[in-house]
Amino acid sequence: MKKTLVFFAAIFFSISLYAQNKSAEVKHNPWELIIYRPENSSKINEVPCWIKIEDADGKDVTYTCARATYEWASIPDKINYYEKTWYLTGGMAMHLHNLKPGRYKFTFYTPKEKQYPFTEFSHEWKSNEFYYNTENPAKVIFVYPTANDNGFYNGGWIISAKAPEFFKFARAKQNPPM
């Protein structure tokens, strides 16, 4: 009986030690980054925004600093490959793989001719600049449309390390029922 108890205690100790060592090994890979564009109203979801990545010298390295794939939030287990340019629409997550070590500046933009059905804007939609350092990496960053104080989209993008407050920033306010 004692031998059986000692045997099971040794197995339990070994399993718990193995689990602790495995959990200590789990770390974020600084050469992988997810950029998520949450869903908004249906019209703004259709407006794409393209990424531009610049290195520390200001050189455009969008297609040379990493590989990119994307997933739809509604179908998270199906990886898709970009055919030409790297963009996001509402509900997409871009995965940057094998990001070369260094410091980068990310921006997003939508040219005037790609803003349909928002035809009232006469300027290119641009985002703020987001600085990313592979030595102090974020795991996920977010991109979402800008809106004015009344909740109407006003032609721009925000890149943030924090998830957006959807109803305040990214969805038009609705009038209360009468």
Side-chain angles (χ1 to χ4, degrees), residues 1-78:
M1 178 73 171
K2 272 187 173 180
K3 289 183 180 180
T4 306
L5 186 59
V6 169
F7 175 74
F8 283 115
I11 288 176
F12 177 77
F13 178 77
S14 298
I15 291 171
S16 64
L17 186 60
Y18 177 77
Q20 286 177 355
N21 286 341
K22 280 298 184 189
S23 66
E25 293 173 12
V26 175
K27 289 173 46 176
H28 170 61
N29 181 347
W31 298 279
E32 303 279 329
L33 175 65
I34 299 170
I35 305 171
Y36 180 54
R37 181 169 161 202
E39 288 190 52
N40 304 105
S41 68
S42 61
K43 287 185 179 182
I44 197 73
N45 279 341
E46 298 169 14
V47 178
C49 59
W50 283 267
I51 190 169
K52 181 177 181 183
I53 305 172
E54 295 178 57
D55 65 11
D57 298 326
K59 181 181 172 190
D60 186 342
V61 293
T62 304
Y63 302 108
T64 59
C65 70
R67 287 184 313 106
T69 59
Y70 68 92
E71 292 178 329
W72 292 99
S74 58
I75 313 169
D77 297 328
K78 184 175 184 320

Side-chain angles (χ1 to χ4, degrees), residues 145-155 158 165-175:
T146 59
N148 63 22
D149 291 338
N150 294 323
F152 294 102
Y153 301 118
N154 60 7
I158 294 176
E165 297 178 38
F166 290 107
F167 294 103
K168 181 176 179 183
F169 294 111
R171 290 199 179 181
K173 293 180 183 177
Q174 296 181 1
N175 292 332

Side-chain angles (χ1 to χ4, degrees), residues 115-126:
Q115 297 169 8
Y116 184 82
F118 296 90
T119 57
E120 67 271 21
F121 297 102
S122 60
H123 64 278
E124 177 177 84
W125 294 8
K126 293 182 182 178

Side-chain angles (χ1 to χ4, degrees), residues 66-120:
R67 287 184 313 106
T69 59
Y70 68 92
E71 292 178 329
W72 292 99
S74 58
I75 313 169
D77 297 328
K78 184 175 184 320
I79 296 173
N80 302 283
Y81 296 93
Y82 286 103
E83 291 183 18
K84 294 182 182 178
T85 61
W86 298 353
Y87 64 91
L88 290 171
T89 58
M92 285 177 67
M94 177 185 293
H95 297 256
L96 294 179
H97 307 278
N98 302 324
L99 190 61
K100 293 179 183 174
R103 296 172 185 254
Y104 298 97
K105 177 174 76 173
F106 296 135
T107 54
F108 278 86
Y109 67 95
T110 301
K112 183 181 177 344
E113 64 275 5
K114 300 290 187 177
Q115 297 169 8
Y116 184 82
F118 296 90
T119 57
E120 67 271 21

